[in-house]
DNA sequence: GTCTATATCCAGATAGAC
DNA sequence: GTCTATCTGGATATAGAC
């Protein structure tokens, strides 16, 4: 039996660790200065580097935004994957809405980057965008699992949950004035859309 | 009979006209470069001025944002005032939601400035903020006229309509994929909240 | 009121030594 | 990999002539 040892690439490990350190610092700075106000000078200073050194890890400032965008979407995918999904339709919708809003209000800058997209010159790369699309597809699949196949129902629910998240973040960060309304609204929508689907199936 | 002629102050008129010309240009630039990317150089160039001349009209760049914020909120007040309000509860809610969303999707930059507030260092002045508060109060009064006095109902509806507007603007600007869902959702909410209020009154 | 000239500062990015 | 030094260009804002 031949054992092929996968040699640890310490260089790659180190590089990855520094890269992630930069991203962590970037998220923190975005929290204090505003996402759009992120500056490479401050970012470098925060981690004890000189600004040009950042370019060894990222091609440009937008590449940093891109990595953050990718990271945020992956976090959301991970979050959705670790959820304990109920089997009844209404339960699925509730859990889906709750996890999504929770994820959003946890970090307002991440919400801004992923879902508001108000950074001046930033457009996600195809690679990062693909992950964002995957997020949407996963959501759509969850709703389908709850019996909702109507695209309009999906659109309506995304507007609802992102609206709740946005209001909570903008008007009462850290609170639950809007978050606590989720269940009531989701139940209302669930009843409505599920009975609509049932009627359509009959026809 | 003594007639007191109110002398036209041509200087003030001219100043006001230039001021409003600057604001118009600012909105246009915001549309192409992004609101946060507005630059005084370009703004001045657009109206055939040199950058320093802008300071004759505004104290700072943020003062321009402030004037835009004020203008936007006044436009919304005006819009709400000229609406032909129905007398039935559901009709009021529909018209209120429709006019609001319509107002938002008309101009994504205005929506961003008024309701997303993602401009780095900008905070509205007390004077401008007061008008924003007035907008909210007017909305609240409309809902009260429709029989909805529950603050939670108000919060829910604001989340819903701003969520619809945001999704429409972000994902399909100029389209109606979300806008066309308003009536269905508002009817659903109207029935729900109105019957809740009725139950409360009984108790 | 508008200009020229300038101050001051900061941005992102690159070249090349070590 | 990280640095120093520097490029280039942008920003907002002010002083003072006309």
């Amino acid at each position: 039996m031949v054992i092929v040892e996968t040699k640890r690439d310490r260089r790659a490990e180190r590089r990855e660790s520094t890269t992630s350190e930069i991203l962590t610092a970037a998220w923190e700075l975005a929290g204090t200065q505003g996402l759009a106000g992120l500056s490479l000078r401050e970012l470098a200073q925060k981690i004890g580097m000189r600004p040009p050194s950042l370019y060894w890890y990222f091609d440009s400032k937008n590449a940093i935004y891109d990595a953050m965008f990718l990271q945020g979407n992956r976090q959301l995918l991970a979050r959705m994957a670790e959820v304990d999904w109920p089997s009844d339709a209404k339960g699925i919708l509730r859990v889906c809405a709750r996890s999504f809003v929770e994820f959003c209000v946890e970090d307002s800058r991440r919400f801004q980057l992923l879902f508001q997209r108000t950074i001046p010159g930033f457009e996600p790369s195809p690679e990062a965008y693909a992950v964002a699309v995957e997020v949407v597809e996963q959501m759509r699949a969850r709703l389908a699992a709850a019996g909702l196949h109507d695209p309009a129902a999906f659109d309506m629910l995304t507007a609802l949950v992102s609206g709740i998240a946005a209001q909570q973040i903008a008007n009462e960060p850290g609170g639950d004035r809007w978050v606590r309304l989720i269940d009531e609204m989701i139940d209302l929508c669930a009843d409505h859309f599920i009975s609509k689907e049932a009627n359509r199936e009959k026809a």
Side-chain angles (χ1 to χ4, degrees), chain A:
Chain A
M1 188 165 116
V2 179
I3 297 191
V4 178
E5 280 188 17
T6 311
K7 207 171 74 190
R8 276 178 61 196
D9 186 340
R10 294 185 173 276
R11 193 169 304 174
E13 279 175 16
R14 207 186 146 73
R15 184 183 169 89
E16 200 169 337
S17 132
T18 304
T19 301
S20 104
E21 190 190 350
I22 293 172
L23 289 181
T24 303
W27 283 115
E28 283 172 29
L29 270 182
T32 58
Q33 324 266 326
L35 194 55
L38 180 67
S39 112
L40 299 189
R41 282 165 135 72
E42 286 171 303
L43 179 54
Q45 195 193 3
K46 193 174 174 69
I47 57 171
M49 266 187 182
R50 303 292 169 168
S53 307
L54 294 172
Y55 285 82
W56 207 80
Y57 298 94
F58 295 97
D59 285 344
S60 68
K61 184 182 178 181
N62 271 347
I64 296 180
Y65 282 132
D66 199 55
M68 294 168 82
F69 182 82
L70 183 61
Q71 202 177 45
N73 277 292
R74 286 201 174 132
Q75 284 164 358
L76 180 49
L77 278 184
R79 181 71 58 90
M80 287 290 152
E82 77 192 12
V83 160
D84 193 19
W85 293 97
S87 53
D88 65 303
K90 203 183 276 190
I92 292 175
L93 292 184
R94 275 193 184 189
V95 167
C96 191
R98 269 194 233 142
S99 336
F100 178 78
V101 173
E102 206 170 280
F103 178 83
C104 292
V105 300
E106 260 171 32
D107 188 333
S108 67
R109 299 304 162 185
R110 188 174 58 186
F111 177 72
Q112 190 191 342
L113 180 61
L114 267 55
F115 303 112
Q116 305 206 123
R117 308 275 300 281
T118 48
I119 311 298
F122 170 63
E123 285 291 319
S125 62
E127 186 200 352
Y129 187 70
V131 179
V133 169
E134 172 66 12
V135 164
V136 175
E137 289 314 314
Q138 291 262 346
M139 292 281 185
R140 209 187 292 277
R142 295 294 170 194
L143 261 60
L148 291 190
H149 306 276
D150 181 6
F154 181 71
D155 288 345
M156 218 31 268
L157 287 168
T158 56
L160 184 62
V161 291
S162 64
I164 288 175
Q167 289 286 85
Q168 186 65 62
I169 287 169
N171 301 307
E172 197 207 42
D176 76 336
R177 185 171 142 196
W178 277 268
V179 167
R180 66 173 179 244
L181 305 172
I182 297 176
D183 282 359
E184 182 180 352
M185 282 307 291
I186 290 297
D187 285 359
L188 183 62
C189 292
D191 292 337
H192 176 71
F193 287 118
I194 291 171
S195 79
K196 250 180 84 175
E197 296 264 348
N199 286 340
R200 190 188 307 176
E201 273 176 31
K202 269 188 237 163

